Amino acid sequence: MVSTAGTPKNFTYLVIGGGIAGVSVAAELAAAGESTVLLEQESQLAYHTTGRSAAIFLETYGSRIFRLLTHYSRDFYLNSLRDDPPLIAPRGAIFVARDSGLAKLRKLHDEVAQLTDSVRWLSAEDLRREFPALREDWVAGALEPDAKDIDVHALHQSYLRRFRRGGGHVVCSSPVLALRREADIWVVQTPQGVYRAKTLVNCAGAWADEIACLAGLTPLGITPLKRSAILARVDLEMAAWPYIGDVEESFYFKPSKQGLLISPCDETPEPASDVTADEMDVAIAADRFETALRGKVISVQARWAGLRSFAPDRNPVIGFDPRCDGFFWLAGQGGYGIQTAPAMAELAAALLRQARLPAFMDRNEIGLEEISPTRLCGANSAKELCHVS
């Protein structure tokens, strides 16, 4: 647990959530000289989704907006190669398709080829030659050779160090018990005491809508979806293989030094909680591997699950809530929060500070209306009365 001794109680920004979203935007704010505190409900940071991510830098992954935010984060990750340790390592990735997914794969390939010229189309013959363990019903692939593994722990710690260098304060074991608005100040009650801030930044992940409810706001419909994974020993030598995913999202495989990470790409709605992979999840993951490749799962060394939180349109939610002053959303990152963190934090911090937007926004490829919470507030965007007790 992080000590609260000497922590002040009044700030300009109060960030809720110590995963990658909260730590990265808090670091940007502190680096700009803003008085910022970060509250985490658990006794350690990054306990939930961030700490369970199989993170890989993939420009072929997610909606158009997530792919653009990933692309805009590329320089950050490439520059980290000079760090010790570096945040990324070579991996490569390939999405494969059966006949039923061929049109989807072609669309994905053509769209991503506009972001990066390294993406390559692989025919059935190419697949057989490069990945002979794939079964014959895979008819094409889209190869992204520049995909990278991301060291999630190193990334999170890098942002945390930057936050603390900027004078930021971290308070763990601090679930939000109550929120109220007094004049133009948020008053936040926690087991560690009462904190006050002009602006509240909701980075609570699966709990984001619950935080909104505490603030007296109607939820935006951000839904936590469980995704499970296993770490397995298999009877194939795959250590040098790229990340392999089905374009129709029935599985992905990612080699590691400890074994093969296998996920059935499940999306099961679950209440915000500490989720785990059950026996059925393990069985489905193993079956998806053995159905896709000429191989067997020898043993399962570990299992886990995390909650990927999506807005109804599966795009991120970044911006001030139009219904209540000083309530800012940085939520709905789905399974893309790690790879998009640099661009998303830079954009969110600029919006929070009403500063110049990042240079990548000058390209007009992402409209603020596409990511603003306003799009999810319904036809009536008039301010609601926030709860004041």
Side-chain angles (χ1 to χ4, degrees):
M1 173 178 166
V2 177
S3 173
T4 63
T7 301
K9 301 296 184 181
N10 299 291
F11 298 88
T12 303
Y13 296 98
L14 185 148
V15 179
I16 299 175
I20 192 62
V23 168
S24 59
V25 73
E28 294 286 346
L29 292 170
E34 303 288 2
S35 170
T36 307
V37 64
L38 186 148
L39 303 183
E40 166 56 46
Q41 67 176 352
E42 305 295 345
S43 61
Q44 65 187 65
L45 301 177
Y47 175 78
H48 290 284
T49 302
T50 294
R52 307 174 194 192
S53 172
I56 186 166
F57 184 88
L58 276 174
E59 292 179 87
T60 45
Y61 193 39
S63 69
R64 177 186 63 85
I65 289 177
F66 278 119
R67 293 199 300 267
L68 285 166
L69 289 169
T70 301
H71 181 68
Y72 300 150
S73 299
R74 170 178 283 279
D75 286 348
F76 174 94
Y77 285 114
L78 291 179
N79 290 336
S80 79
L81 290 171
R82 297 191 295 267
D83 297 344
D84 185 23
L87 299 181
I88 58 173
R91 171 55 60 194
I94 177 174
F95 281 93
V96 296
R98 297 184 173 96
D99 285 328
S100 59
L102 195 56
K104 184 175 182 180
L105 183 69
R106 175 58 75 181
K107 182 175 184 290
L108 176 65
H109 170 273
D110 292 348
E111 289 176 352
V112 176
Q114 298 177 41
L115 285 179
T116 173
D117 56 10
S118 66
V119 66
R120 288 171 44 207
W121 182 264
L122 299 180
S123 66
E125 292 74 21
D126 295 329
L127 288 177
R128 300 287 86 72
R129 181 172 59 256
E130 297 195 35
F131 310 104
L134 283 168
R135 295 190 181 275
E136 294 290 336
D137 52 344
W138 300 106
V139 299
L143 177 65
E144 184 183 336
D146 292 337
K148 311 290 185 184
D149 285 337
I150 301 174
D151 186 330
V152 178
H153 176 73
L155 175 68
H156 190 272
Q157 289 298 306
S158 176
Y159 273 121
L160 186 59
R161 287 192 298 272
R162 187 180 181 204
F163 177 54
R164 286 176 168 150
R165 283 197 304 268
H169 296 268
V170 176
V171 185
C172 290
S173 301
S174 295
V176 176
L177 304 177
L179 290 172
R180 67 180 186 273
R181 189 86 168 153
E182 291 182 353
D184 61 346
I185 298 296
W186 284 103
V187 180
V188 184
Q189 182 179 341
T190 80
Q192 307 300 332
V194 175
Y195 296 86
R196 292 174 171 82
K198 182 176 180 180
T199 301
L200 187 151
V201 188
N202 183 4
C203 302
W207 286 263
D209 266 352
E210 293 186 15
I211 295 298
C213 288
L214 287 175
L217 295 170
T218 303
L220 296 185
I222 294 178
T223 303
L225 303 176
K226 186 180 85 166
R227 173 154 293 184
S228 55
I230 63 173
L231 186 67
R233 290 180 58 235
V234 301
D235 63 353
L236 297 173
E237 180 49 60
M238 297 183 66
W241 278 32
Y243 168 107
I244 297 180
D246 172 17
V247 73
E248 296 186 282
E249 294 202 68
S250 66
F251 66 78
Y252 71 75
F253 315 135
K254 182 173 180 281
S256 73
K257 294 179 181 178
Q258 294 76 34
L260 184 69
L261 180 66
I262 305 172
S263 173
C265 293
D266 45 326
E267 291 193 342
T268 307
E270 294 275 357
S273 61
D274 187 4
V275 294
T276 59
D278 58 29
E279 291 296 333
M280 181 60 71
D281 297 326
V282 173
I284 292 173
D287 180 71
R288 297 275 170 89
F289 172 81
E290 294 176 357
T291 300
L293 288 88
R294 298 185 183 89
K296 295 290 184 182
V297 172
I298 299 171
S299 63
V300 175
Q301 299 158 281
R303 69 178 76 178
W304 65 90
L307 292 175
R308 305 160 76 244
S309 302
F310 287 95
D313 59 5
R314 298 181 76 89
N315 282 324
V317 184
I318 311 172
F320 282 102
D321 195 298
R323 304 166 296 177
C324 188
D325 290 337
F327 191 99
F328 188 94
W329 293 81
L330 180 53
Q333 290 94 340
Y336 321 106
I338 303 297
Q339 65 186 46
T340 61
M344 206 174 294
E346 186 182 359
L347 174 56
L351 290 171
L352 278 159
R353 300 180 63 239
Q354 299 182 33
R356 178 176 172 79
L357 296 181
F360 62 74
M361 292 299 290
D362 293 340
R363 305 174 194 176
N364 296 317
E365 295 173 302
I366 297 176
L368 290 179
E369 72 282 355
E370 295 181 287
I371 58 176
S372 169
T374 302
R375 74 188 195 273
L376 304 173
C377 291
N380 180 15
S381 62
K383 292 179 180 178
E384 296 179 1
L385 177 64
C386 292
H387 175 68
V388 178
S389 60

